[in-house]
Amino acid sequence: MHMADALISPAVGGTMWAVSGGLIAYSAKKVREEADDRKIPLMGVLGAFIFAAQMINFTIPGTGSSGHLGGGMILAILLGPWSAFLALASVLTVQALFFADGGLLALGCNILNMGFFTCFFAYPLVYKKITGGSLDKKRVMIGAVTAAVIGLQLGAFGVVVETLASGISELPFKTFVLLMQPIHLGIGVVEGLVTAGVVSFMLKARPEILAAAAQRQPIGVSVKGALAGLAAAAVLTGAALSWFASANPDGLEWAMLRTSGREELESSGKLHGLLGALQAKTAFLPDYGFRKPEEAPAAPDGEGAPAPAWPAVDAGTSVAGLVGGISTLLMTGLIGFALRRGKAAA
Amino acid sequence: MSELGASLVDIGYMDTLAAGSTPLHRLDPRAKLLTTALFIVAVVSFGKYEVSALLPFLLYPVYLAAEGRLPARYLFKKVLLVSPFAVMVGIFNPFFDGGVLLRVGHLGVSGGWVSFASILLRFLLTVSAALALLALTGINSICEGLLRLGAPRAFVVQLLFLNRYLFSLAAETENMTRARALRSAGKRGMRFGVFIQILGHLLLKTLDRAERVYRAMLARGFDGHIRVTRGYKIGRRELLFFFCWTALFALFRFVNLPVMLGQAVTGLLK
Amino acid sequence: MSHHIVEAANIHYSYPDSTAALDGVSFRIGHGESVALVGENGAGKSTLLRHFTGCLFPSSGMLKIDGGVVEKKNLPAVRRAVGMVFQNPDDQLFMPTVFEDVAFGLLNMGVPAAELDGRVMAALQTVGAAHLRSRPPYRLSQGEKRAAAIAGVLAMAPDILVMDEPTSNLDPMSRRRLITLLKTFGHTKIIATHDLDFALETCERTIVIHKGRVTADGPTVEIFNDERLLTASSLEKPMSARAWPQNRLKTS
């Protein structure tokens, strides 16, 4: 469920970056306060373990498909939420860099979807509540499956909300939710079973490791504080960024309209008119509120140039766009080629 | 080759690329990180129906690949490999957005197809720039850059350890899965029970290794702080790189060059 | 102050699950000596080595290094005096590049940045690995890894070099190079190894450990010629010593 840069807007990507960045900084502080030097290599090596583990697949009986470990829950159980969050964030960072799995801008979204919900919600509020710190096999099983399912459902929902809030994809909310949630229900059950399996393996092989991990109780009032801080940070940066994204570029496009004609039509008022129509058709879009601040400043010029002009696109501009686009491609290719040749000759 | 082996070779190859010695490789990682970040923000900040104005941005990844002597075909293949999610989500646009947006002669192109094309183009741009950044810099220098840009040390150190032990652990995993495959009499899938056993043993090995690494660190005077040293500095070349590209991104972002060019060309033809 | 650099006095150690790993170990090692520590798997060698770096403390008895008792408050001094080369260089080379790995210990010692480069490169040159400086550890051969790990320890200028199975996983050529290298060092050396031929070439003295006790301590040649002792300690006469006549020691 890695999100890609291509599907998100700077406002959403930036907000999520700010939020995950803040969480990483806060977790780093917490880990430092724990002052457990042993954890420094442990976190990194466990991060590498998650990578290696994700490369092994098992066959899901009767389906012909295969499953593997996601790893968030296991990390949280072994390391506690703060360290686990850092470890997961670095796994996702390396995935973004090495495998281009999820983009750099989308990294914030991905860390939130896959790290935050598991480490700070599913683990402390579901898994710990169910197991109650005991290492009873049945409780671990129920706790791990429930927590993994809830964590992944929230994460999947995060993907939906962030994608729709970005407004790049046309998928209606309902369709998207119906696509994402059931898939992740399955993934969640598998993740829970694998987690429970590994935990019971560890209970048999080296019970002292889990006992030590279970004794660590860094979760307390501070998580609530962190959650509140997180919510506040999200609202603030979200508001600031969407104001910036809406007010500034629209202003600039408006200026461009004055200088270079009318080719800005792509992204301002008329577009929102279309979106409005779409929204009316698809009944319920959760990102409506999110979009509103963007719409407001765009409205004046959108209404100024009467909206019915919409389907009647200026064919001249389209052709110019095509011709220009192809020429640009050719030129870029030539520049690249020339650079290469120049190098080779030198 | 197994999937695991292939991704290892892949990471190793990126590493080899990052060990190159072009001026772009030697640039302070901060300059490359910030420029690429700006690039990505500029690219994704366009409206969703924008296609033509995105095209000039191709210059950046093309420049990086050419000037840094990166194998363009390899990078492109990697971009394609990770494209399914973007394609999957984007492919719905044509179904939900049928309003005609573009008219070429008598042919009308719907908004959905245009925004789909835009998604694909954004995807190509952002992913190829990120890959080029990695191939020119290497993960260790990126970490160094992140640290100097103010990322928390605990997080960066973590990233370094992760990267360091990725290879060792992946090799161990490969040995274990191969040992299993050799004794599984040709059955291809892995049963859940066996899977958990392998995973469990891998985890135990990992924990033991972490313990040994920790002891090795203590033996050399580790006191809870990792000190990273690498002599990078922001010089004229870094500033030049950053500001030239920033200026170009600004130009590409606010002036639709392809359309202007096209208008000039079609104007001439008339 | 004793003139001995390492003194173990009746060290006992039991793991938390109460397996006794060391059961009264005593020996003294003087400055500049090269001592091989041999014994079957599980004899207690690794446990003993961990005491040298203060990763474990004796349950009873005492270990003195450089005149100071190995205990919590002495740890920085002990770890400065003892340079430990681990069995698996992958565990020891944890930094991103060879250079940074060698610099790790130096930076922990507070070596100023101006001296850093010189000291790292000097250590790398000693082991013939200067050309590896900017390579990441996972892209080195086993022999190169071993060399880099030794450089990381040498750079800190320890008085005592402790090595755990230094020849494991080395091809014959790398092993030979290591032997030549070790012979050039003036450090006090303690080498735990199963490679008795290696011990014979590099150490004049050998301590045999068996079931947590010292069962023999003396000149290497003498010990490796005592087949009864070797068999009793689950060891085997090294290949290179097979040709010795039984009475060689008496005649020489």
Side-chain angles (χ1 to χ4, degrees):
Chain A
M1 63 197 236
H2 290 76
M3 295 184 70
D5 284 354
L7 295 172
I8 61 170
S9 68
V12 170
T15 307
M16 297 302 146
W17 250 87
V19 171
S20 337
L23 273 173
I24 287 175
Y26 191 69
S27 302
K29 187 171 154 262
K30 279 285 171 190
V31 170
R32 219 170 37 241
E33 281 167 12
E34 283 173 25
D36 187 355
D37 293 352
R38 204 172 288 264
K39 266 195 179 172
I40 292 176
L42 182 60
M43 285 156 62
V45 181
L46 277 177
F49 161 78
I50 296 299
F51 254 99
Q54 287 184 346
M55 291 162 173
I56 323 175
N57 293 303
F58 70 96
T59 316
I60 301 174
T63 60
S65 59
S66 63
H68 66 75
L69 177 74
M73 194 54 70
I74 250 311
L75 284 183
I77 292 171
L78 286 171
L79 290 168
W82 309 111
S83 311
F85 182 72
L86 282 188
L88 262 179
S90 61
V91 168
L92 290 166
T93 306
V94 169
Q95 278 174 341
L97 284 169
F98 270 147
F99 303 108
D101 217 352
L104 293 183
L105 183 66
L107 184 58
C109 298
N110 287 323
I111 289 177
L112 214 74
N113 297 340
M114 287 182 256
F116 173 77
F117 293 120
T118 299
C119 296
F120 299 126
F121 192 87
Y123 171 70
L125 303 178
V126 181
Y127 179 83
K128 290 224 100 174
K129 286 270 146 52
I130 291 179
T131 59
S134 92
L135 294 171
D136 172 62
K137 205 174 161 185
K138 210 173 184 180
R139 282 192 169 198
V140 165
M141 178 72 82
I142 298 171
V145 173
T146 321
V149 165
I150 290 179
L152 276 154
Q153 285 297 310
L154 288 171
F157 192 68
V159 172
V160 172
V161 171
E162 288 151 14
T163 306
L164 292 183
S166 298
I168 307 287
S169 162
E170 293 286 355
L171 270 175
F173 173 71
K174 250 195 218 153
T175 319
F176 204 175
V177 163
L178 287 178
L179 263 174
M180 291 293 282
Q181 307 302 133
I183 297 176
H184 286 88
L185 181 65
I187 298 178
V189 171
V190 169
E191 172 75 4
L193 289 174
V194 174
T195 304
V198 173
V199 171
S200 14
F201 176 92
M202 294 292 289
L203 279 178
K204 253 185 261 153
R206 294 266 286 277
E208 76 279 2
I209 293 174
L210 284 172
Q215 266 170 15
R216 241 180 274 129
Q217 260 293 8
I219 284 286
V221 195
S222 56
V223 154
K224 280 182 200 147
L227 282 174
L230 173 81
V235 170
L236 277 176
T237 42
L241 277 170
S242 49
W243 173 80
F244 176 78
S246 57
N248 275 2
D250 280 353
L252 283 161
E253 269 155 21
W254 186 80
M256 273 169 54
L257 180 75
R258 291 287 121 107
T259 54
S260 69
R262 44 180 311 184
E263 52 272 28
E264 47 57 70
L265 98 171
E266 266 78 328
S267 64
S268 59
K270 292 157 200 161
L271 168 68
H272 289 294
L274 179 79
L275 272 173
L278 255 179
Q279 277 178 347
K281 254 188 253 163
T282 53
F284 172 60
L285 272 181
D287 52 330
Y288 190 75
F290 218 99
R291 192 179 303 283
K292 219 167 190 169
E294 282 180 51
E295 212 163 354
D301 49 271
E303 275 154 26
W310 172 244
V313 182
D314 179 359
T317 313
S318 304
V319 173
L322 266 182
V323 172
I326 292 167
S327 323
T328 312
L329 275 182
L330 282 174
M331 273 164 61
T332 314
L334 274 175
I335 292 173
F337 193 65
L339 279 171
R340 232 329 116 86
R341 286 303 288 270
K343 283 264 151 182
Chain B
M1 194 188 302
S2 70
E3 191 188 333
L4 172 58
S7 29
L8 267 187
V9 170
D10 229 32
I11 299 180
Y13 187 54
M14 281 307 238
D15 241 38
T16 315
L17 290 179
S21 59
T22 70
L24 274 187
H25 282 91
R26 288 195 300 269
L27 219 53
D28 187 302
R30 280 171 289 181
K32 287 183 269 188
L33 268 171
L34 287 177
T35 311
T36 307
L38 262 179
F39 169 81
I40 291 175
V41 170
V43 165
V44 301
S45 71
F46 280 101
K48 69 171 164 185
Y49 292 111
E50 192 54 74
V51 175
S52 59
L54 282 170
L55 291 172
F57 282 93
L58 277 169
L59 188 64
Y60 182 63
V62 164
Y63 168 81
L64 291 182
E67 191 70 10
R69 319 221 60 186
L70 303 175
R73 191 173 305 167
Y74 171 78
L75 291 183
F76 190 67
K77 248 180 21 205
K78 284 204 70 160
V79 173
L80 287 186
L81 263 173
V82 292
S83 59
F85 183 75
V87 173
M88 190 196 92
V89 174
I91 193 73
F92 288 98
N93 283 9
F95 296 105
F96 291 106
D97 180 1
V100 173
L101 185 68
L102 233 165
R103 210 172 274 283
V104 184
H106 292 290
L107 195 70
V109 181
S110 76
W113 284 109
V114 175
S115 60
F116 182 45
S118 177
I119 287 179
L120 292 186
L121 191 53
R122 284 155 203 265
F123 185 78
L124 173 70
L125 287 168
T126 51
V127 174
S128 61
L131 282 174
L133 167 74
L134 176 69
L136 287 173
T137 317
I139 186 112
N140 291 329
S141 300
I142 288 184
C143 287
E144 170 90 7
L146 284 175
L147 191 64
R148 291 190 178 208
L149 288 171
R153 183 171 287 266
F155 175 66
V156 174
V157 164
Q158 239 273 125
L159 261 177
L160 287 173
F161 271 103
L162 168 76
N163 182 51
R164 168 64 186 90
Y165 285 102
L166 199 54
F167 287 85
S168 318
L169 279 179
E172 268 174 29
T173 314
E174 174 118 70
N175 287 341
M176 286 170 82
T177 47
R178 190 181 293 140
R180 186 208 69 93
L182 288 175
R183 288 181 294 156
S184 63
K187 275 199 218 111
R188 287 193 56 227
M190 194 187 291
R191 279 191 305 119
F192 184 73
V194 180
F195 171 72
I196 292 296
Q197 285 293 317
I198 291 191
L199 216 54
H201 279 290
L202 188 65
L203 182 56
L204 284 185
K205 280 188 178 186
T206 307
L207 293 170
D208 286 342
R209 180 183 287 274
E211 188 60 34
R212 291 196 306 270
V213 170
Y214 178 61
R215 277 205 295 270
M217 294 169 77
L218 285 182
R220 284 196 286 156
F222 175 61
D223 54 4
H225 296 280
I226 301 246
R227 298 162 180 85
V228 188
T229 58
R230 211 174 284 191
Y232 281 115
K233 68 169 200 288
I234 298 281
R236 261 220 339 260
R237 291 186 324 120
E238 278 75 17
L239 293 176
L240 197 70
F241 179 85
F242 180 73
F243 286 111
C244 283
W245 279 109
T246 306
L248 274 176
F249 296 158
L251 175 73
F252 296 162
R253 175 62 186 86
F254 298 120
V255 182
N256 191 334
L257 292 175
V259 167
M260 281 175 72
L261 185 71
Q263 275 166 343
V265 173
T266 47
L268 276 178
L269 289 179
K270 273 174 198 167
Chain C
M1 277 280 275
S2 148
H3 63 284
H4 289 107
I5 193 160
V6 179
E7 266 191 277
N10 201 22
I11 297 183
H12 287 261
Y13 183 82
S14 301
Y15 281 103
D17 60 359
S18 68
T19 10
L22 296 180
D23 189 13
V25 169
S26 304
F27 54 82
R28 290 174 183 183
I29 295 173
H31 285 274
E33 265 193 288
S34 288
V35 181
L37 213 54
V38 302
E40 83 276 17
N41 288 333
K45 296 186 306 275
S46 300
T47 308
L48 184 56
L49 291 192
R50 274 183 216 172
H51 283 77
F52 289 139
T53 48
C55 286
L56 294 179
F57 299 106
S59 316
S60 71
M62 191 172 63
L63 178 66
K64 269 183 164 179
I65 284 179
D66 248 353
V69 178
V70 178
E71 56 190 349
K72 259 226 160 79
K73 67 176 171 45
N74 279 339
L75 276 185
V78 167
R79 287 176 181 159
R80 271 210 63 162
V82 176
M84 172 87 192
V85 180
F86 285 73
Q87 176 171 4
N88 183 351
D90 267 323
D91 296 337
Q92 189 168 354
L93 302 169
F94 44 79
M95 293 296 280
T97 63
V98 170
F99 183 94
E100 284 164 286
D101 199 88
V102 176
F104 175 84
L106 293 175
L107 287 168
N108 288 337
M109 287 164 64
V111 169
E115 283 175 40
L116 194 66
D117 201 73
R119 289 187 63 172
V120 170
M121 289 319 288
L124 282 174
Q125 262 146 20
T126 311
V127 300
H131 59 293
L132 303 176
R133 62 171 292 172
S134 48
R135 294 263 287 277
Y138 45 83
R139 294 178 86 76
L140 302 178
S141 73
Q142 282 297 327
E144 289 171 333
K145 279 182 190 173
R146 182 75 59 187
I150 293 175
V153 168
L154 282 186
M156 298 174 73
D159 302 319
I160 309 162
L161 208 54
V162 179
M163 302 183 119
D164 190 2
E165 292 295 350
T167 55
S168 60
N169 290 324
L170 288 190
D171 58 49
M173 201 62 117
S174 312
R175 178 176 171 277
R176 178 54 51 195
R177 232 177 271 134
L178 178 65
I179 292 172
T180 319
L181 178 67
L182 286 183
K183 284 182 174 168
T184 63
F185 291 168
H187 304 79
T188 308
K189 292 188 281 273
I190 303 175
I191 303 176
T193 185
H194 288 306
D195 182 347
L196 300 191
D197 290 293
F198 174 78
L200 197 57
E201 284 203 61
T202 50
C203 304
E204 66 270 21
R205 177 178 161 194
T206 292
I207 296 177
V208 182
I209 303 213
H210 181 58
K211 294 192 173 159
R213 291 164 187 270
V214 174
T215 49
D217 181 353
T220 307
V221 250
E222 218 167 280
I223 286 176
F224 288 176
N225 219 9
D226 186 345
E227 296 212 32
R228 199 178 311 153
L229 167 72
L230 290 176
T231 314
S233 308
S234 312
L235 297 169
E236 190 187 45
K237 194 170 179 176
M239 291 297 279
S240 53
R242 296 265 163 94
W244 292 345
Q246 276 301 320
N247 58 356
R248 176 185 146 154
L249 289 165
K250 286 173 204 154
T251 53
S252 61

